[in-house]
Amino acid sequence: MKPSVSVSLNVNGALWRVSAKPETPLLYILRNDLCLNGPKYGCGLGECGACAVLVDGRPVRSCTVPLGAIGKRRVITLEGLAVDGLLHPVQQAFIEEAAAQCGYCLNGMIIATVGLLQRNTDPDESDIRDALRHHLCRCGTHVEILAAVRRAVTLTKAGRPVDPMTDDMTEVSR
């Protein structure tokens, strides 16, 4: 095992300094060191999607991404989607459609939807289902989740931006 190293991470527009082994899963750093609870530990194998985050705008499973692979990439968690106190349109849509029961899968579903809308601002039903197909919901709120994604498409078309990435960073140490 490699020794711990000091690493700078760009998470939610802030520059964080952490000390950890390069093979440490990004999920552990986000939850344990940065106290960000949006990404959930689900399966630990990258199968369920509960731990999804955006890395340079692309959804990834943070339980399978080692800290050493992040480098200077930008990481956005569920907590980093809102801007200036305004919910991201996808977050707003999930609230409006009551697309939650236990809420465990929501992080991954929302992150996957943000990633989809960054790639395709006018997805059809097939695109939506494809973007969510590897995210597990154990409670059966699939109908509400699909409705929330459709509403997010509508909100996006109404002019709400879907890209939470900014160049403004503040430095934070932990």
Side-chain angles (χ1 to χ4, degrees):
M1 229 182 224
K2 297 176 184 172
S4 291
V5 294
S6 181
V7 177
S8 290
L9 290 176
N10 179 343
V11 179
N12 297 335
L15 190 60
W16 296 87
R17 294 196 186 282
V18 297
S19 181
K21 293 181 166 92
E23 65 271 14
T24 303
L26 176 61
L27 176 64
Y28 296 0
I29 300 301
L30 296 173
R31 290 186 62 83
N32 300 337
D33 294 302
L34 306 187
C35 299
L36 297 170
N37 294 316
K40 306 288 186 240
Y41 183 92
C43 66
L45 301 170
E47 298 290 328
C48 72
C51 68
V53 298
L54 296 169
V55 176
D56 284 345
R58 301 188 78 191
V60 300
R61 310 299 169 100
S62 65
C63 72
T64 62
V65 175
L67 175 63
I70 295 301
K72 296 189 182 294
R73 293 179 179 96
R74 293 176 178 198
V75 177
I76 299 290
T77 68
L78 185 67
E79 294 89 347
L81 294 177
V83 177
D84 295 329
L86 291 175
L87 290 176
H88 188 280
V90 175
Q91 292 171 307
Q92 186 63 45
F94 272 71
I95 291 169
E96 290 173 8
E97 292 297 329
Q101 192 161 345
C102 82
Y104 212 79
C105 72
L106 284 187
N107 173 76
M109 297 289 188
I110 290 171
I111 292 293
T113 302
V114 172
L116 169 65
L117 292 177
Q118 287 178 347
R119 293 186 314 274
N120 178 357
T121 58
D122 193 20
D124 61 22
E125 190 71 17
S126 175
D127 296 327
I128 293 168
R129 289 174 181 268
D130 188 56
L132 299 178
R133 72 179 178 182
H134 295 295
H135 291 267
L136 302 178
C137 173
R138 295 179 181 121
C139 297
T141 57
H142 296 89
V143 171
E144 292 85 356
I145 289 169
L146 290 171
V149 177
R150 289 194 229 41
R151 182 178 294 265
V153 171
T154 302
L155 291 174
T156 300
K157 287 180 181 178
R160 290 283 311 273
V162 296
D163 187 356
M165 306 294 266
T166 65
D167 288 329
D168 299 333
M169 280 195 299
T170 56
E171 188 163 341
V172 181
S173 294
R174 275 247 180 213

